[in-house]
Amino acid sequence: MRIGVPKETKTLEGRVALVPAAAGDLVKRGHEVWIEKDAGVKSGFKDEQYTQLGVKIAADAAELYEKGQLIVKVKEPIAGDLKHLRKDHLLFCYLHLAAEPALTKQLLDIGLTGIAFETVELPNGDLPLLAPMSVIAGKIAVQVGTHLLHQPEGGKGKLLGGLPSTERGKVVVFGAGQAGSASAALAAAGGSNVVVFEMRQDRMDQMMRLGNNVTTLYPYADVVAREVASADLVVGAVLVTGARAPHVLTREMLKGMQDGSVVVDISIDQGGCFETSRPTTWKEPTYVEEGVTHFCVTNMPGAVPQTSSQAICAAILPWVNKLASGDAWRQNQALVRGINVEGGKLVHPALLDMKL
């Protein structure tokens, strides 16, 4: 099969879907792999590293999409990509369509088959292609939140970890999946007092084992409001597979926070889990609502593309191999569950009630 890897076009997105070694493995399996010129540069991979392994270089996006049958990218297609996509393309990338009705309609009009990384689901409910980027986003959320609390950034001037003679900072995390767990672990390791809201007992147990400075609570509304009011940093990491994220933090709760506090919404790809969230980019990452700094960048792992590209590629390569080996992939239930759109129709159950 001819596999095409385009250059990412989202604002300040540096990732590439296939690193040279992975693309070379696909060539050894007999596939024809094309990558758009300089697609890997921001991740630290030069075109020569690809060509040395038998990968072909497309001069521009038009040639790349013309050559490719299976299109493997990282982020959802935007204007520059959509004009090149065809009905016969098999698209494999993050889509997050629940929060993107306009994009959904465009993909339906094209009629292609779109499999979303974030909805490839194992029988036990695990999301293997979402996990690595969730972990990275979780870590970035705390790193960025720590920085935004600095007074020159408009923050309250709080050092999260504290030190003798000062109080520790407080971090509240919604959700103890891959992203929330990573946020809680980093915040706890840095010395913050951490409160994790979670509904699953097994995940609560896991979070409690992070240390004596971690508390886990069920998200009763009045308890949430109380804990958020005294938080310095709030991280939202709530996920309903394929669907819009529910709002777990209301504007009224936000009003209870001190000015200069920070909220980071990792769930923004799926519409955001805070009532006051709206998508931002790495170019203009923050805004202020009710005196609280909001960070809602939709491609958080794109800021560390070398790490992110290596991680996502290792996760997706076995699935790319399956997709590139003919229609046999349709016998793989995890991939079938990952189909979001096909032949002009919505397929994933979480999307069937979308208003387009």
Side-chain angles (χ1 to χ4, degrees), residues 68-88:
Q69 297 169 291
L70 168 60
I71 303 298
V72 183
K73 64 193 308 297
V74 180
K75 289 301 291 179
E76 74 278 359
I78 57 179
D81 311 301
L82 288 164
K83 65 182 179 181
H84 300 301
L85 285 168
R86 305 187 306 268
K87 182 178 181 179
D88 61 297

Side-chain angles (χ1 to χ4, degrees), residues 1-6 32 34 36 58 60-73 77-78 80-93 95 106-116 323-324 327 329-330 339-345:
M1 181 175 279
R2 294 192 306 278
I3 302 167
V5 181
E32 188 176 309
W34 288 79
E36 187 177 345
D60 53 27
E63 182 182 10
L64 185 284
Y65 282 95
E66 190 277 325
K67 296 290 187 183
Q69 297 169 291
L70 168 60
I71 303 298
V72 183
K73 64 193 308 297
I78 57 179
D81 311 301
L82 288 164
K83 65 182 179 181
H84 300 301
L85 285 168
R86 305 187 306 268
K87 182 178 181 179
D88 61 297
H89 276 143
L90 177 55
L91 176 64
F92 192 40
C93 64
L95 287 173
Q106 288 171 300
L107 294 179
L108 292 175
D109 289 343
I110 293 169
L112 54 68
T113 298
I115 301 175
L323 291 171
D327 285 341
W329 69 265
R330 292 186 179 274
I339 301 173
N340 280 214
V341 294
E342 185 167 34
K345 296 181 180 179

Side-chain angles (χ1 to χ4, degrees), residues 125-170:
D126 285 353
L127 305 172
L129 308 190
L130 185 61
M133 295 304 98
S134 295
V135 171
I136 292 173
K139 291 177 181 288
I140 287 176
V142 174
Q143 292 176 349
V144 167
T146 300
H147 179 65
L148 292 175
L149 282 168
H150 295 169
Q151 185 272 331
E153 299 300 316
K156 61 170 65 173
K158 189 74 163 283
L159 183 66
L160 280 179
L163 68 158
S165 78
T166 76
E167 61 186 25
R168 297 174 186 265
K170 179 178 177 180

